Amino acid sequence: MNVQEIMTNDVKWCRLGTNLADAAKLMWDTDCGVLPVVNGGGQVLGMITDRDICMASATKNRAPSELSVIDAVSGKTHRCKMSDDVHTAIDIMKREQVRRLPVVDEDGALQGVISMNDFILFAGETKAPAISLQDVARALKAISSHRIPVGTR
């Protein structure tokens, strides 16, 4: 089973210059906790979460409307392709300890998002027999394990 068979297709996105208040409102309006960040060509540059918005606003002591996505987007973005097997996506999520991945085409352009929610909803279903409840539980355990803080290794 490929990622494109269970991913969410109709995803909202933002740009690096989008202010954080607008990004948060878009998340609120669409009931999601993450937005892909794309450039003018639609290629994924990163992902911003509701937590990123809160932490940027709090640590910079500024209102979200005064900050842009570029002020809050964090770390390297991990992604998968539409044609990837669902287990490839689960393996990336486990290894990188992320709950969502942008799904891109061969040119890196955003096509959708696949999340642990997608796996949970499809696990054990007859239309998605490749995803077992055990696969999902192992992935959630790996994602949820505590990371070693930077500088303490």
Side-chain angles (χ1 to χ4, degrees), residues 82-100:
M82 293 178 14
S83 59
D84 285 344
D85 183 81
V86 292
H87 289 96
T88 299
I90 288 175
D91 289 343
I92 294 168
M93 290 176 172
K94 289 187 324 192
R95 183 181 68 241
E96 304 302 335
Q97 293 185 293
V98 296
R99 288 175 165 71
R100 308 162 189 102

Side-chain angles (χ1 to χ4, degrees), residues 129-150:
I131 306 165
S132 73
L133 291 171
Q134 288 177 328
D135 292 333
V136 173
R138 281 192 290 269
L140 283 172
K141 184 176 181 179
I143 291 166
S144 300
S145 67
H146 295 286
R147 297 181 190 183
I148 299 171
V150 175

Side-chain angles (χ1 to χ4, degrees), residues 20 53-67 71:
L20 296 184
I53 292 170
C54 291
M55 295 306 293
S57 184
T59 60
K60 296 175 189 324
N61 197 26
R62 292 175 60 196
S65 60
E66 298 172 1
L67 296 167
D71 297 315

Side-chain angles (χ1 to χ4, degrees), residues 98-126:
V98 296
R99 288 175 165 71
R100 308 162 189 102
L101 292 172
V103 181
V104 299
D105 63 16
E106 297 302 320
D107 297 321
L110 180 66
Q111 300 300 307
V113 171
I114 191 159
S115 69
M116 283 306 301
N117 286 2
D118 295 321
F119 290 118
I120 289 166
L121 293 173
F122 281 93
E125 295 289 324
T126 55

Side-chain angles (χ1 to χ4, degrees), residues 63-75:
S65 60
E66 298 172 1
L67 296 167
S68 296
V69 168
I70 197 167
D71 297 315
V73 72
S74 61

